[in-house]
Amino acid sequence: MRLGLWLRNAIFVACFALATVTPSFAQKSADTLRITWRDAIPDVDPYYNSQRTGMVVAFQAFDCLVYRDPISMEIKPALAISWQQVDLTTIDFSLRQGVTFQNGDPFSADDVVYTINTIIRDKRVAIPAYYSSFAAAEKLDDFRVRIKLTGVSPALMEYLAMVTPIWPKAYREKLGSDGFSRAPIGTGPYKITKVDGTTQIEMERYEGHYAGSPKGRPAIRYIKIHQVPDATTEMTELLGGKADWIWGYNADQFTNLAKVPNLEAMRFGTMRVHFMTIDAAGRTGADNPLTKVKVRQAILTAIDRQTMAKQLIQGDSQVIDTPCYPSQFGCDVSAAVKYPYDPEKAKQLLAEAGYPNGFETEIISYNTPQINAALQNYLKAVGINLRIQQLQIGAVIRKAEAGEAPLYCGSWGSNSINDVSAFIPYFLGGGLDDYARDPDVQELVKAAGNTLDPDVRRQAYSQAIRLATERAEFVPLFSAVRYVAFSKQLTFQGFPDDLPRFYLSSWK
């Protein structure tokens, strides 16, 4: 670990020195924004991955029926120009005419009906919970669609705006799902022109993007995304002049990056939450220590989340006490049971649970090694010996969903949906990542999702938060701060929903 840290710092210093002596130039002359990031996308079809990078690509290349303004959070027309709630479970949409997909095919109601009716039956969809409220879509005419719901869906427009891009029916049926993943098209401002395994994605401005789009016409013509396996390679490409934009680097590199003459370092708080799931339900073995409520409470009490947020995340990272982000509708912070850092109390709780000498367990994580090491040290101090299994994000997600993670550490951005329904049901609603399987909490979550009455929703979510935190069924850690660095020749704006909109960027 120390050798790896030393090597990373040595490479950073060497590249930093090179960058300050011989400034590299962005690809302004080639009108090409070169992006380097980790977290390679296993499938660029936006419905077949749950990763933030996949959502970022999808937002450039695809459009949804509606668009959420990243500043005002207002829902605006996109592929749909208007909509009407016919009854509690029926909404009619009038579609925009004159829109074409990036191969020239015209957009119509057939594409919307095909998309909705396919995703609700497709077993490969990465997050089926996001579409569980859809019952069916019906074509009323070429530019009118009726969406029927399984029940009331109070946050429907958020999901339609953020996670329901429209597929091209004829093109996708011709290629098949696998063929479409290799050569996807949408109606968005950029067309994906190359998908090379999990290492390279290229895009080009779509000159036929429809007039009146809330995304507008991109100023930059080309985007090239290089997906690399580790943070060192990512940083080396930026400092060596091979990348114009990176994100997700360590907080301790921010100050040095800000000193590089031709680069700009930026950080801003986001609605992403670092967390641990905890095996309260015994999915990794019945009656293991984590199934004991006092053990789970001990774990929460043993972690100094405030210090971790201040030292490891920095910026305006804040301790999170709820299984949701505070700005989300229904995230009642006052309902949460708080667990202040108190190692002596943690030891007492372990003793009361029958583990005075502690125990051993394992954490599976794609979070940074620094976060994992801090968790390991805090738990070791109270007698819990934590084995760390550090993996790439895709491997961690697969193991977690298979029920193979006693503790699972990651981060969750709710796909930028500012509603509790994009967080609590995912981890406490009975799905693959629910390690509590608490029927009381599940019933409350279900009740909150079955009404349009905001007061009833708030009350149900508050009770769910109270129960889940009292029983320590989920371990929220702290909010994330997004660290971005990019060429000073680039104009880039970050948003709290943690979704880069490169179609809004330009060269200076």
Side-chain angles (χ1 to χ4, degrees):
M1 177 68 76
R2 289 186 176 181
L3 179 60
L5 181 61
W6 176 88
L7 182 60
R8 188 192 73 187
N9 290 336
I11 292 173
F12 182 92
V13 170
C15 291
F16 172 80
L18 178 62
T20 55
V21 173
T22 310
S24 59
F25 294 96
Q27 284 287 290
K28 179 179 179 179
S29 60
D31 205 3
T32 302
L33 174 58
R34 301 167 303 170
I35 296 166
T36 297
W37 64 32
R38 288 160 282 157
D39 299 340
I41 305 167
D43 194 322
V44 293
D45 188 315
Y47 288 104
Y48 293 159
N49 75 82
S50 60
Q51 295 175 205
R52 174 65 44 163
T53 46
M55 186 181 184
V56 172
V57 170
F59 234 67
Q60 321 306 316
F62 292 84
D63 286 317
C64 299
L65 288 177
V66 293
Y67 180 79
R68 193 188 70 194
D69 187 281
I71 297 175
S72 69
M73 295 294 178
E74 178 187 358
I75 299 295
K76 296 181 176 181
L79 293 179
I81 55 174
S82 64
W83 47 93
Q84 179 182 8
Q85 186 108 24
V86 179
D87 56 42
L88 288 177
T89 59
T90 308
I91 303 181
D92 288 352
F93 291 86
S94 294
L95 306 180
R96 190 182 298 269
Q97 299 186 37
V99 177
T100 61
F101 287 97
Q102 293 148 355
N103 67 340
D105 287 352
F107 160 77
S108 73
D110 291 329
D111 304 298
V112 179
V113 171
Y114 168 75
T115 300
I116 300 297
N117 289 341
T118 301
I119 62 174
I120 60 179
R121 297 178 177 88
D122 191 339
K123 301 296 185 183
R124 292 176 59 193
V125 169
I127 311 179
Y130 284 176
Y131 314 107
S132 61
S133 62
F134 295 131
E138 304 171 5
K139 177 180 177 180
L140 301 179
D141 61 38
D142 284 348
F143 293 98
R144 288 194 304 144
V145 170
R146 171 166 291 173
I147 295 182
K148 298 289 293 183
L149 307 175
T150 56
V152 297
S153 182
L156 177 69
M157 299 307 286
E158 283 271 339
Y159 289 92
L160 287 174
M162 304 305 293
V163 295
T164 316
I166 302 303
W167 277 328
K169 179 180 186 292
Y171 178 84
R172 191 172 184 274
E173 285 184 332
K174 179 180 178 180
L175 268 65
S177 59
D178 291 338
F180 183 77
S181 293
R182 292 190 293 270
I185 61 168
T187 62
Y190 280 101
K191 178 182 179 180
I192 298 172
T193 56
K194 181 179 181 180
V195 179
D196 183 8
T198 57
T199 61
Q200 194 83 16
I201 298 171
E202 296 183 7
M203 293 185 277
E204 181 177 359
R205 182 175 60 216
Y206 176 45
E207 301 297 350
H209 189 53
Y210 61 93
S213 165
K215 295 180 179 179
R217 182 181 186 273
I220 297 174
R221 183 170 182 180
Y222 300 106
I223 295 176
K224 290 186 177 181
I225 300 171
H226 186 204
Q227 301 175 136
V228 296
D230 54 64
T232 299
T233 304
E234 181 183 63
M235 186 62 67
T236 300
E237 291 204 354
L238 177 72
L239 295 175
K242 295 182 179 180
D244 304 313
W245 188 97
I246 69 168
W247 71 344
Y249 56 87
N250 290 327
D252 58 9
Q253 297 171 313
F254 177 77
T255 301
N256 282 337
L257 275 174
K259 296 176 183 177
V260 180
N262 59 309
L263 296 177
E264 183 169 342
M266 176 187 290
R267 65 183 177 188
F268 50 91
T270 74
M271 59 188 295
R272 178 168 292 274
V273 175
H274 291 273
F275 69 87
M276 285 197 305
T277 61
I278 186 167
D279 190 17
R283 291 175 64 184
T284 60
D287 296 323
N288 75 69
L290 301 175
T291 62
K292 312 297 190 298
V293 64
K294 288 191 176 183
V295 168
R296 301 194 299 273
Q297 292 171 338
I299 288 174
L300 273 157
T301 306
I303 301 170
D304 189 348
R305 295 176 292 161
Q306 183 65 54
T307 295
M308 290 181 70
K310 181 179 179 180
Q311 295 184 356
L312 299 182
I313 308 301
Q314 301 180 28
D316 57 357
S317 177
Q318 302 293 323
V319 170
I320 300 294
D321 294 306
T322 49
C324 48
Y325 184 73
S327 77
Q328 292 178 308
F329 177 90
C331 191
D332 185 358
V333 176
S334 67
V337 175
K338 312 297 194 299
Y339 292 89
Y341 174 56
D342 188 340
E344 292 306 313
K345 183 176 180 180
K347 292 177 183 178
Q348 178 185 339
L349 286 167
L350 286 174
E352 292 173 0
Y355 301 94
N357 299 317
F359 58 91
E360 290 189 3
T361 190
E362 182 178 59
I363 186 170
I364 298 172
S365 175
Y366 59 79
N367 256 331
T368 65
Q370 292 88 343
I371 290 177
N372 299 333
L375 293 172
Q376 184 182 52
N377 290 335
Y378 282 126
L379 295 183
K380 184 177 181 179
V382 300
I384 300 174
N385 292 315
L386 190 64
R387 301 185 304 277
I388 299 173
Q389 191 174 165
Q390 179 93 37
L391 300 170
Q392 292 289 327
I393 183 171
V396 172
I397 290 172
R398 286 192 295 273
K399 290 181 76 69
E401 290 181 345
E404 299 173 1
L407 295 168
Y408 155 36
C409 185
S411 64
W412 186 248
S414 299
N415 276 62
S416 301
I417 292 170
N418 201 36
D419 190 281
V420 164
S421 61
F423 200 131
I424 291 181
Y426 192 77
F427 294 101
L428 295 167
L432 294 177
D433 279 293
D434 184 351
Y435 274 80
R437 303 294 168 95
D438 185 330
D440 298 330
V441 174
Q442 290 179 27
E443 189 62 32
L444 288 165
V445 170
K446 182 179 179 181
N450 284 338
T451 177
L452 291 177
D453 187 321
D455 292 331
V456 175
R457 291 188 74 214
R458 286 192 186 95
Q459 183 178 8
Y461 279 132
S462 294
Q463 292 176 12
I465 290 168
R466 180 71 183 183
L467 274 183
T469 55
E470 185 178 70
R471 298 171 183 178
E473 294 175 334
F474 183 82
V475 184
L477 295 171
F478 31 76
S479 63
V481 170
R482 178 57 74 184
Y483 285 82
V484 181
F486 51 92
S487 166
K488 281 191 174 178
Q489 290 187 303
L490 180 70
T491 298
F492 173 79
Q493 181 179 3
F495 299 100
D497 66 5
D498 199 23
L499 185 60
R501 293 163 170 85
F502 296 117
Y503 50 79
L504 299 179
S505 293
S506 62
W507 298 116
K508 294 178 181 177

